[in-house]
Amino acid sequence: MRLDGTSFQKLVWSELLSIPIGEVRTYKQIAEAIGRPRSYRAVANACGANPYAPEIPCHRAIRSDGRIGGYSAKGGLSRKLELLERESMQSNQK
DNA sequence: CACATGACCTAAC
DNA sequence: TGTTAGGCCATGT
């Protein structure tokens, strides 16, 4: 797939794609995974800047306190919740 | 180059 | 448990 964005965004999106179905990662964890433990803020930005949602699982990015956080893509937070719940069921073979 | 923005994080009250 | 304040980073204007 073609990823159009800055090198940093590509890193973030690649990491998002590596997240297994039904799993979620905090923005901080993602930042650490790409080698920039203090760029969690920018990571969130990259997610919001992601024009390939939901092809890019940006909805698997949540806050460190376990809360969903936000979602700028079409459909809003409810869309994010649906995707997460659906993937969760899929991973549980429900 | 300087300033403002945001799907954040942590500590402190 | 809810709010405030400070710090941090890539991006866009």
Side-chain angles (χ1 to χ4, degrees):
Chain A
M1 82 190 321
R2 304 194 311 261
L3 266 54
D4 245 23
T6 70
S7 53
F8 182 79
Q9 291 176 335
K10 288 178 186 175
L11 281 174
V12 176
W13 298 342
S14 300
E15 190 57 34
L16 286 171
L17 288 169
S18 73
I19 303 177
I21 304 294
E23 295 281 324
V24 293
R25 293 290 179 76
T26 68
Y27 295 99
K28 196 178 177 185
Q29 286 181 324
I30 296 172
E32 291 177 357
I34 64 178
R36 285 171 176 69
R38 291 175 195 83
S39 305
Y40 41 76
R41 190 75 83 100
V43 169
N45 273 342
C47 291
N50 157 43
Y52 306 99
E55 192 171 358
I56 300 279
C58 52
H59 52 272
R60 294 185 194 149
I62 64 174
R63 297 182 26 152
S64 293
D65 46 21
R67 303 183 87 169
I68 300 300
Y71 197 65
S72 300
K74 189 178 183 181
L77 271 176
S78 48
R79 180 65 179 171
K80 183 172 183 176
L81 287 169
E82 284 181 29
L83 290 168
L84 286 174
E85 191 170 341
R86 192 170 314 199
E87 290 185 354
S88 179
M89 292 194 304
Q90 183 177 340
S91 67
N92 290 335
Q93 296 286 308
K94 271 190 178 177

